[in-house]
Amino acid sequence: RYLAIVHPLKPRMNYQTATFLIALVWIVSILVAIPSAYFATETVLFIVKKQQKIFCGQIWPVDQQMYYKSYFLFIFGIEFVAPVITMTLCYARISRELWFKTVPGFQTDQIRKRLRCRRKTVMVLMCILIAYVLCWAPFYGFAIIRDFFPTIFVKEKHYLTAFYIVECIAMSNSMINTMCFVTVKNNTMKYFKKIMLLRWSSKHTGSKSSTDLDLRTNAVPVTEEVECIKLK
């Protein structure tokens, strides 16, 4: 998004570069996850009043707690701090480019529609950033308190419940991202409506042509729709 909006005239990456970057992402992800997979196990937690609860997670040896804390801070940096800083800087530049940069010439209806589409794109990007922070901050905050201040959770009987709640909130970020993009008027919603209307029409009125359905479902002018596609 950053390159397409801020530097639209720069050449895009070629096939070889894209393949290399995708392979690099997978290799680094696998290497980073190896310690988590190696030390992941099932254990029994004794909570107040001799209640036993099974917990599945990373159990590092006592003599390697320093390594674990270093590993956790490394994961915290590359999975939360670095993405938040990167997205904030990129989206701030994108917002300045789309929101505050005026379109030269007389302000016609078409130009005003383009400005509205640009600002809608900025709002979507801001929502994505805010959702990422709100979803993952409780998870990492809980993990920091658990690993660096363990005495707080020693006698807390709702420890596992709180952990699973913050974990569910963190994992819901992917769903929220999808909803942010789909709810904005773009090709996804337009073609979804077309599919639904075509299925309904084929069951009830088989005589209608697909051209008529296209005219009824395509409520956004072509110029505005194309502009939104370019911005996204």
Side-chain angles (χ1 to χ4, degrees), residues 81-184:
V81 178
V84 169
I85 293 175
T86 304
M87 285 191 293
T88 301
L89 295 176
C90 290
Y91 290 172
R93 183 71 187 277
I94 291 174
S95 301
R96 189 180 69 176
E97 192 76 17
L98 296 182
W99 193 288
F100 299 104
K101 193 173 182 180
T102 59
V103 178
F106 182 73
Q107 298 296 307
T108 61
D109 290 339
Q110 183 177 354
I111 292 178
R112 282 192 288 269
K113 289 177 181 178
R114 289 176 61 188
L115 290 175
R116 286 197 299 269
C117 186
R118 285 182 173 188
R119 290 172 180 174
K120 187 186 296 184
T121 303
V122 172
M123 295 302 296
V124 172
L125 297 180
M126 292 300 104
C127 288
I128 291 173
L129 176 59
I130 294 172
Y132 186 83
V133 174
L134 293 180
C135 288
W136 283 100
F139 177 82
Y140 283 108
F142 184 93
I144 289 173
I145 295 174
R146 177 196 63 196
D147 297 333
F148 291 87
F149 308 97
T151 55
I152 297 177
F153 291 137
V154 168
K155 295 183 179 181
E156 180 56 53
K157 63 179 180 179
H158 299 297
Y159 163 76
L160 285 182
T161 303
F163 172 76
Y164 289 131
I165 289 175
V166 297
E167 187 179 40
C168 288
I169 293 174
M171 299 307 167
S172 67
N173 180 248
S174 300
M175 179 187 66
I176 294 174
N177 275 352
T178 304
M179 292 176 62
C180 286
F181 282 110
V182 172
T183 51
V184 178

Side-chain angles (χ1 to χ4, degrees), residues 29 53 99 107 194 228:
S29 301
K53 290 191 176 181
W99 193 288
Q107 298 296 307
K194 282 185 178 183
C228 289

Side-chain angles (χ1 to χ4, degrees), residues 45-52 154-157:
L45 294 181
F46 290 92
I47 310 183
V48 292
K49 296 181 181 179
K50 296 183 179 180
Q51 292 181 357
Q52 295 184 7
V154 168
K155 295 183 179 181
E156 180 56 53
K157 63 179 180 179

